[in-house]
Amino acid sequence: GESVGLHLPTLSVQEGDNSIINCAYSNSASDYFIWYKQESGKGPQFIIDIRSNMDKRQGQRVTVLLNKTVKHLSLQIAATQPGDSAVYFCAERAGGSYIPTFGRGTSLIVHP
Amino acid sequence: DAGITQSPRHKVTETGTPVTLRCHQTENHRYMYWYRQDPGHGLRLIHYSYGVKDTDKGEVSDGYSVSRSKTEDFLLTLESATSSQTSVYFCAISERDTYGYTFGSGTRLTVV
C-alpha cells in the first residue's frame, strides 16, 4: 500500500547536518503544540511539546520554536542521523479542548 | 507500543461485510481515540471516548461506530465496509492532564 510519506513535502539532508521542519498553524486560540515522529509502518511517537507561554523548548538533539505572531512552529534536529528519517508532523490544541488537530506532515530523508 | 495494542495488524475484507477493530490498553487512561490516516491527509479523528460508555463523534465518523464497555477496550466497527474505508487506523490514549497521546502501531485495513 501507499506510504503515508507520499504526497508530503520532503526535506532531504546529509547525515550530520541540522534539519529544520516547519509547521504553520491556523487557530490563534491554540495554546499547546506537539511534534510527532512517524517511522514507516509504525504509529506516531511523541517527540517534544511546547505551551503558548513559551517561545523555545529544547530536548535531546531537538529544539522547538514557537512564533505566535505569525502562527509558526518549527522543529530543529541537530546532527541529523539516518535513524531520524521519518514523517514529522505537528499538532495544535486549542485551549479548553483535549483533542488536537494534526498537520499533514513533512517527510525527512537523511542520506548517509 | 508499550501499553496499547491494536488487533488485527492487517485485514483484508470484502465490500459490504462488517469489520471490528480492537484497541486494548493497560495504562488505565480515561481517553481513547480512533484515527484514520490516508496519503495526502493528516490524522483524522473518527470517534473518541472519554470514559466507559461515553463516546462522541469526530470529523469523519460516517460509516463507523464505536463501543467502550471497559476502560481498557475501545472497539471500532465498520457496519458495512466500503472501499473508501481502506486506510490505516490508529488508536490513541491519553490522560487529560498530560495532553499528549500514545499511539498504537496501527491496523492496515483493505476493503476489496
PDB file of all heavy atoms in Angstrom, chain B residues 38-66:
ATOM      1  N   ASP B  38      -4.539   8.547   5.857  1.00  0.00           N
ATOM      2  CA  ASP B  38      -4.528   8.276   4.423  1.00  0.00           C
ATOM      3  C   ASP B  38      -3.490   9.155   3.745  1.00  0.00           C
ATOM      4  O   ASP B  38      -3.259  10.291   4.184  1.00  0.00           O
ATOM      5  CB  ASP B  38      -5.909   8.574   3.821  1.00  0.00           C
ATOM      6  CG  ASP B  38      -7.014   7.813   4.514  1.00  0.00           C
ATOM      7  OD1 ASP B  38      -7.071   6.590   4.310  1.00  0.00           O
ATOM      8  OD2 ASP B  38      -7.800   8.428   5.266  1.00  0.00           O
ATOM      9  N   PRO B  39      -2.868   8.670   2.660  1.00  0.00           N
ATOM     10  CA  PRO B  39      -1.913   9.505   1.916  1.00  0.00           C
ATOM     11  C   PRO B  39      -2.552  10.834   1.522  1.00  0.00           C
ATOM     12  O   PRO B  39      -3.682  10.871   1.046  1.00  0.00           O
ATOM     13  CB  PRO B  39      -1.594   8.647   0.688  1.00  0.00           C
ATOM     14  CG  PRO B  39      -1.828   7.258   1.133  1.00  0.00           C
ATOM     15  CD  PRO B  39      -3.003   7.332   2.073  1.00  0.00           C
ATOM     16  N   GLY B  40      -1.825  11.920   1.755  1.00  0.00           N
ATOM     17  CA  GLY B  40      -2.348  13.228   1.405  1.00  0.00           C
ATOM     18  C   GLY B  40      -3.176  13.882   2.489  1.00  0.00           C
ATOM     19  O   GLY B  40      -3.589  15.037   2.341  1.00  0.00           O
ATOM     20  N   HIS B  41      -3.430  13.136   3.548  1.00  0.00           N
ATOM     21  CA  HIS B  41      -4.205  13.679   4.667  1.00  0.00           C
ATOM     22  C   HIS B  41      -3.431  13.514   5.959  1.00  0.00           C
ATOM     23  O   HIS B  41      -2.590  12.641   6.102  1.00  0.00           O
ATOM     24  CB  HIS B  41      -5.536  12.943   4.813  1.00  0.00           C
ATOM     25  CG  HIS B  41      -6.457  13.128   3.660  1.00  0.00           C
ATOM     26  ND1 HIS B  41      -7.349  14.178   3.565  1.00  0.00           N
ATOM     27  CD2 HIS B  41      -6.630  12.398   2.544  1.00  0.00           C
ATOM     28  CE1 HIS B  41      -8.032  14.068   2.436  1.00  0.00           C
ATOM     29  NE2 HIS B  41      -7.621  13.004   1.796  1.00  0.00           N
ATOM     30  N   GLY B  42      -3.732  14.366   6.908  1.00  0.00           N
ATOM     31  CA  GLY B  42      -3.198  14.141   8.240  1.00  0.00           C
ATOM     32  C   GLY B  42      -4.038  13.105   8.950  1.00  0.00           C
ATOM     33  O   GLY B  42      -4.938  12.490   8.369  1.00  0.00           O
ATOM     34  N   LEU B  43      -3.766  12.909  10.199  1.00  0.00           N
ATOM     35  CA  LEU B  43      -4.598  12.023  11.013  1.00  0.00           C
ATOM     36  C   LEU B  43      -5.978  12.656  11.181  1.00  0.00           C
ATOM     37  O   LEU B  43      -6.089  13.825  11.553  1.00  0.00           O
ATOM     38  CB  LEU B  43      -3.956  11.818  12.386  1.00  0.00           C
ATOM     39  CG  LEU B  43      -2.719  10.928  12.400  1.00  0.00           C
ATOM     40  CD1 LEU B  43      -1.911  11.180  13.663  1.00  0.00           C
ATOM     41  CD2 LEU B  43      -3.137   9.472  12.310  1.00  0.00           C
ATOM     42  N   ARG B  44      -7.003  11.875  10.921  1.00  0.00           N
ATOM     43  CA  ARG B  44      -8.363  12.390  11.042  1.00  0.00           C
ATOM     44  C   ARG B  44      -9.115  11.593  12.095  1.00  0.00           C
ATOM     45  O   ARG B  44      -9.146  10.366  12.061  1.00  0.00           O
ATOM     46  CB  ARG B  44      -9.073  12.329   9.687  1.00  0.00           C
ATOM     47  CG  ARG B  44      -8.482  13.278   8.654  1.00  0.00           C
ATOM     48  CD  ARG B  44      -9.263  13.251   7.351  1.00  0.00           C
ATOM     49  NE  ARG B  44      -9.096  12.000   6.640  1.00  0.00           N
ATOM     50  CZ  ARG B  44      -9.752  11.677   5.526  1.00  0.00           C
ATOM     51  NH1 ARG B  44     -10.639  12.509   5.016  1.00  0.00           N
ATOM     52  NH2 ARG B  44      -9.524  10.512   4.937  1.00  0.00           N
ATOM     53  N   LEU B  45      -9.749  12.313  12.992  1.00  0.00           N
ATOM     54  CA  LEU B  45     -10.420  11.697  14.119  1.00  0.00           C
ATOM     55  C   LEU B  45     -11.754  11.091  13.695  1.00  0.00           C
ATOM     56  O   LEU B  45     -12.598  11.767  13.083  1.00  0.00           O
ATOM     57  CB  LEU B  45     -10.650  12.747  15.217  1.00  0.00           C
ATOM     58  CG  LEU B  45     -11.298  12.265  16.498  1.00  0.00           C
ATOM     59  CD1 LEU B  45     -10.399  11.269  17.229  1.00  0.00           C
ATOM     60  CD2 LEU B  45     -11.606  13.453  17.411  1.00  0.00           C
ATOM     61  N   ILE B  46     -11.972   9.832  14.053  1.00  0.00           N
ATOM     62  CA  ILE B  46     -13.212   9.137  13.712  1.00  0.00           C
ATOM     63  C   ILE B  46     -14.192   9.219  14.881  1.00  0.00           C
ATOM     64  O   ILE B  46     -15.308   9.724  14.748  1.00  0.00           O
ATOM     65  CB  ILE B  46     -12.935   7.656  13.375  1.00  0.00           C
ATOM     66  CG1 ILE B  46     -11.887   7.539  12.264  1.00  0.00           C
ATOM     67  CG2 ILE B  46     -14.232   6.963  12.940  1.00  0.00           C
ATOM     68  CD1 ILE B  46     -11.414   6.109  12.031  1.00  0.00           C
ATOM     69  N   HIS B  47     -13.793   8.674  16.000  1.00  0.00           N
ATOM     70  CA  HIS B  47     -14.576   8.710  17.236  1.00  0.00           C
ATOM     71  C   HIS B  47     -13.620   8.775  18.411  1.00  0.00           C
ATOM     72  O   HIS B  47     -12.456   8.386  18.296  1.00  0.00           O
ATOM     73  CB  HIS B  47     -15.418   7.442  17.393  1.00  0.00           C
ATOM     74  CG  HIS B  47     -16.680   7.385  16.601  1.00  0.00           C
ATOM     75  ND1 HIS B  47     -17.846   8.005  16.978  1.00  0.00           N
ATOM     76  CD2 HIS B  47     -16.943   6.743  15.440  1.00  0.00           C
ATOM     77  CE1 HIS B  47     -18.789   7.750  16.079  1.00  0.00           C
ATOM     78  NE2 HIS B  47     -18.275   6.983  15.134  1.00  0.00           N
ATOM     79  N   TYR B  48     -14.125   9.208  19.546  1.00  0.00           N
ATOM     80  CA  TYR B  48     -13.325   9.181  20.740  1.00  0.00           C
ATOM     81  C   TYR B  48     -14.194   8.844  21.944  1.00  0.00           C
ATOM     82  O   TYR B  48     -15.426   8.889  21.875  1.00  0.00           O
ATOM     83  CB  TYR B  48     -12.576  10.501  20.965  1.00  0.00           C
ATOM     84  CG  TYR B  48     -13.455  11.713  21.163  1.00  0.00           C
ATOM     85  CD1 TYR B  48     -13.736  12.205  22.434  1.00  0.00           C
ATOM     86  CD2 TYR B  48     -13.986  12.387  20.065  1.00  0.00           C
ATOM     87  CE1 TYR B  48     -14.513  13.327  22.614  1.00  0.00           C
ATOM     88  CE2 TYR B  48     -14.780  13.509  20.232  1.00  0.00           C
ATOM     89  CZ  TYR B  48     -15.031  13.979  21.506  1.00  0.00           C
ATOM     90  OH  TYR B  48     -15.815  15.087  21.669  1.00  0.00           O
ATOM     91  N   SER B  49     -13.527   8.482  23.015  1.00  0.00           N
ATOM     92  CA  SER B  49     -14.224   8.102  24.245  1.00  0.00           C
ATOM     93  C   SER B  49     -13.578   8.800  25.426  1.00  0.00           C
ATOM     94  O   SER B  49     -12.354   8.846  25.544  1.00  0.00           O
ATOM     95  CB  SER B  49     -14.153   6.586  24.437  1.00  0.00           C
ATOM     96  OG  SER B  49     -14.621   6.225  25.716  1.00  0.00           O
ATOM     97  N   TYR B  50     -14.415   9.333  26.310  1.00  0.00           N
ATOM     98  CA  TYR B  50     -13.911   9.996  27.492  1.00  0.00           C
ATOM     99  C   TYR B  50     -14.291   9.234  28.770  1.00  0.00           C
ATOM    100  O   TYR B  50     -14.260   9.785  29.868  1.00  0.00           O
ATOM    101  CB  TYR B  50     -14.384  11.461  27.556  1.00  0.00           C
ATOM    102  CG  TYR B  50     -15.822  11.669  27.206  1.00  0.00           C
ATOM    103  CD1 TYR B  50     -16.802  11.711  28.188  1.00  0.00           C
ATOM    104  CD2 TYR B  50     -16.219  11.824  25.879  1.00  0.00           C
ATOM    105  CE1 TYR B  50     -18.125  11.912  27.866  1.00  0.00           C
ATOM    106  CE2 TYR B  50     -17.553  12.013  25.543  1.00  0.00           C
ATOM    107  CZ  TYR B  50     -18.504  12.064  26.537  1.00  0.00           C
ATOM    108  OH  TYR B  50     -19.826  12.244  26.210  1.00  0.00           O
ATOM    109  N   GLY B  51     -14.659   7.982  28.597  1.00  0.00           N
ATOM    110  CA  GLY B  51     -14.949   7.111  29.723  1.00  0.00           C
ATOM    111  C   GLY B  51     -15.761   5.920  29.257  1.00  0.00           C
ATOM    112  O   GLY B  51     -16.233   5.881  28.112  1.00  0.00           O
ATOM    113  N   VAL B  52     -15.951   4.968  30.168  1.00  0.00           N
ATOM    114  CA  VAL B  52     -16.745   3.793  29.829  1.00  0.00           C
ATOM    115  C   VAL B  52     -18.147   4.225  29.423  1.00  0.00           C
ATOM    116  O   VAL B  52     -18.799   5.005  30.122  1.00  0.00           O
ATOM    117  CB  VAL B  52     -16.793   2.828  31.028  1.00  0.00           C
ATOM    118  CG1 VAL B  52     -17.757   1.678  30.734  1.00  0.00           C
ATOM    119  CG2 VAL B  52     -15.406   2.297  31.337  1.00  0.00           C
ATOM    120  N   LYS B  53     -18.559   3.757  28.269  1.00  0.00           N
ATOM    121  CA  LYS B  53     -19.865   4.024  27.673  1.00  0.00           C
ATOM    122  C   LYS B  53     -20.058   5.485  27.264  1.00  0.00           C
ATOM    123  O   LYS B  53     -21.160   5.859  26.849  1.00  0.00           O
ATOM    124  CB  LYS B  53     -21.004   3.586  28.608  1.00  0.00           C
ATOM    125  CG  LYS B  53     -21.012   2.090  28.851  1.00  0.00           C
ATOM    126  CD  LYS B  53     -22.308   1.637  29.494  1.00  0.00           C
ATOM    127  CE  LYS B  53     -22.385   0.133  29.371  1.00  0.00           C
ATOM    128  NZ  LYS B  53     -22.200  -0.692  30.367  1.00  0.00           N
ATOM    129  N   ASP B  54     -19.010   6.303  27.362  1.00  0.00           N
ATOM    130  CA  ASP B  54     -19.087   7.703  26.928  1.00  0.00           C
ATOM    131  C   ASP B  54     -18.254   7.877  25.670  1.00  0.00           C
ATOM    132  O   ASP B  54     -17.016   7.814  25.715  1.00  0.00           O
ATOM    133  CB  ASP B  54     -18.551   8.629  28.025  1.00  0.00           C
ATOM    134  CG  ASP B  54     -19.468   8.680  29.229  1.00  0.00           C
ATOM    135  OD1 ASP B  54     -20.702   8.622  29.022  1.00  0.00           O
ATOM    136  OD2 ASP B  54     -18.961   8.777  30.342  1.00  0.00           O
ATOM    137  N   THR B  55     -18.941   8.105  24.550  1.00  0.00           N
ATOM    138  CA  THR B  55     -18.235   8.271  23.288  1.00  0.00           C
ATOM    139  C   THR B  55     -18.817   9.461  22.532  1.00  0.00           C
ATOM    140  O   THR B  55     -19.935   9.907  22.814  1.00  0.00           O
ATOM    141  CB  THR B  55     -18.338   7.013  22.403  1.00  0.00           C
ATOM    142  OG1 THR B  55     -19.706   6.803  22.029  1.00  0.00           O
ATOM    143  CG2 THR B  55     -17.825   5.776  23.137  1.00  0.00           C
ATOM    144  N   ASP B  56     -18.044   9.946  21.564  1.00  0.00           N
ATOM    145  CA  ASP B  56     -18.537  11.054  20.748  1.00  0.00           C
ATOM    146  C   ASP B  56     -17.904  10.955  19.370  1.00  0.00           C
ATOM    147  O   ASP B  56     -16.907  10.264  19.162  1.00  0.00           O
ATOM    148  CB  ASP B  56     -18.189  12.389  21.394  1.00  0.00           C
ATOM    149  CG  ASP B  56     -19.180  13.477  21.030  1.00  0.00           C
ATOM    150  OD1 ASP B  56     -19.965  13.281  20.065  1.00  0.00           O
ATOM    151  OD2 ASP B  56     -19.181  14.521  21.694  1.00  0.00           O
ATOM    152  N   LYS B  57     -18.531  11.675  18.412  1.00  0.00           N
ATOM    153  CA  LYS B  57     -18.073  11.606  17.040  1.00  0.00           C
ATOM    154  C   LYS B  57     -16.931  12.566  16.785  1.00  0.00           C
ATOM    155  O   LYS B  57     -16.866  13.653  17.362  1.00  0.00           O
ATOM    156  CB  LYS B  57     -19.238  11.947  16.100  1.00  0.00           C
ATOM    157  CG  LYS B  57     -20.389  10.966  16.160  1.00  0.00           C
ATOM    158  CD  LYS B  57     -21.510  11.395  15.221  1.00  0.00           C
ATOM    159  CE  LYS B  57     -22.669  10.411  15.278  1.00  0.00           C
ATOM    160  NZ  LYS B  57     -23.772  10.817  14.372  1.00  0.00           N
ATOM    161  N   GLY B  58     -16.071  12.154  15.850  1.00  0.00           N
ATOM    162  CA  GLY B  58     -15.039  13.034  15.349  1.00  0.00           C
ATOM    163  C   GLY B  58     -15.437  13.581  13.990  1.00  0.00           C
ATOM    164  O   GLY B  58     -16.606  13.552  13.600  1.00  0.00           O
ATOM    165  N   GLU B  59     -14.438  14.049  13.229  1.00  0.00           N
ATOM    166  CA  GLU B  59     -14.741  14.723  11.969  1.00  0.00           C
ATOM    167  C   GLU B  59     -15.119  13.778  10.834  1.00  0.00           C
ATOM    168  O   GLU B  59     -15.726  14.207   9.852  1.00  0.00           O
ATOM    169  CB  GLU B  59     -13.536  15.578  11.545  1.00  0.00           C
ATOM    170  CG  GLU B  59     -12.279  14.778  11.279  1.00  0.00           C
ATOM    171  CD  GLU B  59     -11.102  15.649  10.847  1.00  0.00           C
ATOM    172  OE1 GLU B  59     -11.205  16.315   9.808  1.00  0.00           O
ATOM    173  OE2 GLU B  59     -10.088  15.639  11.561  1.00  0.00           O
ATOM    174  N   VAL B  60     -14.774  12.482  10.927  1.00  0.00           N
ATOM    175  CA  VAL B  60     -15.060  11.553   9.831  1.00  0.00           C
ATOM    176  C   VAL B  60     -15.764  10.313  10.367  1.00  0.00           C
ATOM    177  O   VAL B  60     -15.360   9.186  10.121  1.00  0.00           O
ATOM    178  CB  VAL B  60     -13.773  11.176   9.049  1.00  0.00           C
ATOM    179  CG1 VAL B  60     -13.260  12.355   8.256  1.00  0.00           C
ATOM    180  CG2 VAL B  60     -12.711  10.625   9.975  1.00  0.00           C
ATOM    181  N   SER B  61     -16.846  10.497  11.084  1.00  0.00           N
ATOM    182  CA  SER B  61     -17.497   9.397  11.782  1.00  0.00           C
ATOM    183  C   SER B  61     -18.499   8.609  10.934  1.00  0.00           C
ATOM    184  O   SER B  61     -18.895   7.503  11.327  1.00  0.00           O
ATOM    185  CB  SER B  61     -18.210   9.933  13.022  1.00  0.00           C
ATOM    186  OG  SER B  61     -19.190  10.888  12.646  1.00  0.00           O
ATOM    187  N   ASP B  62     -18.907   9.138   9.788  1.00  0.00           N
ATOM    188  CA  ASP B  62     -19.919   8.447   8.988  1.00  0.00           C
ATOM    189  C   ASP B  62     -19.434   7.060   8.570  1.00  0.00           C
ATOM    190  O   ASP B  62     -18.344   6.906   8.026  1.00  0.00           O
ATOM    191  CB  ASP B  62     -20.257   9.255   7.729  1.00  0.00           C
ATOM    192  CG  ASP B  62     -21.077  10.484   8.047  1.00  0.00           C
ATOM    193  OD1 ASP B  62     -21.566  10.587   9.195  1.00  0.00           O
ATOM    194  OD2 ASP B  62     -21.233  11.339   7.154  1.00  0.00           O
ATOM    195  N   GLY B  63     -20.276   6.045   8.810  1.00  0.00           N
ATOM    196  CA  GLY B  63     -19.940   4.672   8.438  1.00  0.00           C
ATOM    197  C   GLY B  63     -19.221   3.906   9.524  1.00  0.00           C
ATOM    198  O   GLY B  63     -18.903   2.726   9.343  1.00  0.00           O
ATOM    199  N   TYR B  64     -18.972   4.568  10.654  1.00  0.00           N
ATOM    200  CA  TYR B  64     -18.249   3.936  11.768  1.00  0.00           C
ATOM    201  C   TYR B  64     -19.076   4.034  13.046  1.00  0.00           C
ATOM    202  O   TYR B  64     -19.791   5.022  13.263  1.00  0.00           O
ATOM    203  CB  TYR B  64     -16.919   4.632  12.029  1.00  0.00           C
ATOM    204  CG  TYR B  64     -15.958   4.672  10.886  1.00  0.00           C
ATOM    205  CD1 TYR B  64     -15.908   5.775  10.040  1.00  0.00           C
ATOM    206  CD2 TYR B  64     -15.063   3.625  10.663  1.00  0.00           C
ATOM    207  CE1 TYR B  64     -15.008   5.833   8.989  1.00  0.00           C
ATOM    208  CE2 TYR B  64     -14.155   3.677   9.617  1.00  0.00           C
ATOM    209  CZ  TYR B  64     -14.131   4.781   8.787  1.00  0.00           C
ATOM    210  OH  TYR B  64     -13.229   4.839   7.750  1.00  0.00           O
ATOM    211  N   SER B  65     -18.937   3.021  13.891  1.00  0.00           N
ATOM    212  CA  SER B  65     -19.489   3.085  15.234  1.00  0.00           C
ATOM    213  C   SER B  65     -18.435   2.574  16.208  1.00  0.00           C
ATOM    214  O   SER B  65     -17.481   1.902  15.805  1.00  0.00           O
ATOM    215  CB  SER B  65     -20.781   2.256  15.355  1.00  0.00           C
ATOM    216  OG  SER B  65     -20.508   0.885  15.101  1.00  0.00           O
ATOM    217  N   VAL B  66     -18.589   2.926  17.470  1.00  0.00           N
ATOM    218  CA  VAL B  66     -17.622   2.512  18.485  1.00  0.00           C
ATOM    219  C   VAL B  66     -18.353   2.025  19.724  1.00  0.00           C
ATOM    220  O   VAL B  66     -19.527   2.314  19.928  1.00  0.00           O
ATOM    221  CB  VAL B  66     -16.666   3.661  18.884  1.00  0.00           C
ATOM    222  CG1 VAL B  66     -15.687   3.992  17.755  1.00  0.00           C
ATOM    223  CG2 VAL B  66     -17.442   4.883  19.335  1.00  0.00           C
TER     224      VAL B  66
END
